[in-house]
Amino acid sequence: MPGKNVCIVGSGNWGSAIAKIVGSNAKASNRFAPLVKMWVFEELVEGRKLTEIINTEHENVKYLPGHKLPKNVVAVPDITEACSGADILIFVVPHQFIRRLCDQMKPHIKPESIGISLIKGVDEGPDGLRLISDIIREKLELEVSVLMGANIANEVAEENFCETTIGSKNPENGQVFKELLQTQNFRITVVSESDTVELCGALKNIVAVGAGFCDGLGFGDNTKAASCGVADLITTCYGGRNRKVAEAFVKSSKSIAELEKEMLNGQKLQGPQTSAEVFKILQKKNMIEKFPLFTSVYQICYEGKPVKALIACLQHHPEHM
């Protein structure tokens, strides 16, 4: 049996950290073809094409500097070329790009291929909340699992110990992904509750923005803990980019978009964007009152509401703390 062809759709900070794992696991196992294609949004870095830098220096100097990627990971700038012939597709792009990418990929997808989404976000559809994996499923007509966890990309790349969860309605696919993605320091649990896993991964980024607002206002850890719960949430509220930008938002008079540009070197924030999608859904379903934290994060990010309103929202709703 020839090994399965793997394609990574995306190559930002998280995508590159995953490429490091996938490349070395694919090379070491005869279940996978050794060559891993990684779709890279082409851009110039100091006058050179990013794909060319990755393919000659085996490092994503823009999004994951200081980490070598395995030589069998090949950067491909054309999405149709990257995904054609793939048996396994790993989706790891900002969620706002997924629809357009799927449309471009559709004619080139093998009917029996399987996918896994590492994308933390939700979409607002005509009938309410849409999971990103559902959009991929619908557009590409393939079986999609999800991977979500308390994983900060740089720490995964540095091979610090961390745990993550794969949600897969198909147990066989779950095992294939576990074999492709697990390492000694990146431990995976496979569960069948795929939708719950994905929803928690998306919604916690809104809470992280709230945590960053608390930091910017100079409140202590107890205030922040009022909005924290489980591992992914805690990690994000202390170390992630959503928190970092939200803190800077309070301390400067710049917009989220300006700070994203300035602080994240081209990476996209998922928290504010997710809060906007969720707010639209809450509005439609007349449920704004029930979700004060999500609502006030949205209003602070997009409607100019003062950041202190966040604390008022928590004080007035002790049952939601």
Side-chain angles (χ1 to χ4, degrees), residues 161-285:
F161 183 85
C162 58
E163 295 180 305
T164 201
T165 305
I166 286 178
S168 186
K169 290 171 187 169
N170 177 319
E172 279 169 40
N173 292 355
Q175 287 311 311
V176 171
F177 290 124
K178 182 171 179 170
E179 191 178 323
L180 182 59
L181 292 158
Q182 181 162 271
T183 70
Q184 268 180 315
N185 291 317
F186 189 61
R187 307 306 293 171
I188 293 173
T189 307
V190 181
V191 299
S192 57
E193 282 302 316
S194 181
D195 295 353
T196 314
V197 168
E198 187 171 1
L199 206 47
C200 292
L203 296 178
K204 57 96 205 176
N205 279 330
I206 309 178
V207 184
V209 174
F213 291 156
C214 290
D215 290 342
L217 292 165
F219 292 115
D221 287 346
N222 286 345
T223 314
K224 193 163 29 167
S227 65
C228 283
V230 284
D232 192 9
L233 204 49
I234 295 164
T235 304
T236 307
C237 291
Y238 285 85
R241 64 180 88 148
N242 290 281
R243 187 215 60 79
K244 189 166 101 182
V245 174
E247 180 182 0
F249 176 83
V250 179
K251 294 179 169 173
S252 71
S253 53
K254 294 174 180 168
S255 71
I256 292 276
E258 285 172 295
L259 291 166
E260 192 176 56
K261 227 180 230 144
E262 211 170 274
M263 296 172 69
L264 295 183
N265 190 25
Q267 296 171 50
K268 291 277 175 261
L269 271 190
Q270 300 294 287
Q273 174 91 18
T274 305
S275 79
E277 308 284 3
V278 168
F279 183 75
K280 286 183 214 156
I281 293 161
L282 295 177
Q283 223 173 7
K284 259 187 203 162
K285 305 218 175 267

Side-chain angles (χ1 to χ4, degrees), residues 25-273:
N25 282 357
K27 200 166 48 184
S29 160
N30 57 12
R31 188 189 274 224
F32 308 106
L35 182 88
V36 173
K37 291 198 264 186
M38 175 169 78
W39 175 68
V40 174
F41 176 76
E42 189 68 282
E43 49 191 310
L44 293 178
V45 179
E46 292 175 2
R48 289 177 69 196
K49 287 181 176 174
L50 184 54
T51 51
E52 189 187 298
I53 297 171
I54 293 171
N55 289 336
T56 51
E57 289 159 37
H58 307 291
E59 183 183 340
N60 188 334
V61 292
K62 179 158 185 184
Y63 296 111
L64 192 67
H67 290 280
K68 288 291 174 202
L69 299 178
K71 292 191 167 111
N72 58 316
V73 173
V74 175
V76 180
D78 178 352
I79 183 62
T80 57
E81 187 191 328
C83 72
S84 62
D87 300 293
I88 295 174
L89 294 152
I90 300 170
F91 294 89
V92 54
V93 289
H95 75 265
Q96 45 273 46
F97 302 141
I98 197 66
R99 288 175 183 276
R100 198 181 68 219
L101 277 170
C102 285
D103 289 339
Q104 290 172 280
M105 292 165 72
K106 180 69 177 111
H108 308 272
I109 295 295
K110 275 183 163 179
E112 68 282 8
S113 60
I114 58 173
I116 187 164
S117 170
L118 279 62
I119 300 169
K120 289 178 176 170
V122 289
D123 200 46
E124 186 252 347
D127 306 318
L129 185 127
R130 298 288 316 280
L131 296 172
I132 301 303
S133 66
D134 282 337
I135 294 169
I136 300 171
R137 262 182 216 107
E138 188 183 286
K139 285 194 168 282
L140 299 181
E141 297 170 44
L142 55 106
E143 175 75 44
V144 184
S145 302
V146 298
L147 180 146
M148 304 278 150
N151 312 131
I152 287 181
N154 291 30
E155 294 185 11
V156 172
E158 276 152 25
E159 297 176 27
N160 292 357
F161 183 85
C162 58
E163 295 180 305
T164 201
T165 305
I166 286 178
S168 186
K169 290 171 187 169
N170 177 319
E172 279 169 40
N173 292 355
Q175 287 311 311
V176 171
F177 290 124
K178 182 171 179 170
E179 191 178 323
L180 182 59
L181 292 158
Q182 181 162 271
T183 70
Q184 268 180 315
N185 291 317
F186 189 61
R187 307 306 293 171
I188 293 173
T189 307
V190 181
V191 299
S192 57
E193 282 302 316
S194 181
D195 295 353
T196 314
V197 168
E198 187 171 1
L199 206 47
C200 292
L203 296 178
K204 57 96 205 176
N205 279 330
I206 309 178
V207 184
V209 174
F213 291 156
C214 290
D215 290 342
L217 292 165
F219 292 115
D221 287 346
N222 286 345
T223 314
K224 193 163 29 167
S227 65
C228 283
V230 284
D232 192 9
L233 204 49
I234 295 164
T235 304
T236 307
C237 291
Y238 285 85
R241 64 180 88 148
N242 290 281
R243 187 215 60 79
K244 189 166 101 182
V245 174
E247 180 182 0
F249 176 83
V250 179
K251 294 179 169 173
S252 71
S253 53
K254 294 174 180 168
S255 71
I256 292 276
E258 285 172 295
L259 291 166
E260 192 176 56
K261 227 180 230 144
E262 211 170 274
M263 296 172 69
L264 295 183
N265 190 25
Q267 296 171 50
K268 291 277 175 261
L269 271 190
Q270 300 294 287
Q273 174 91 18

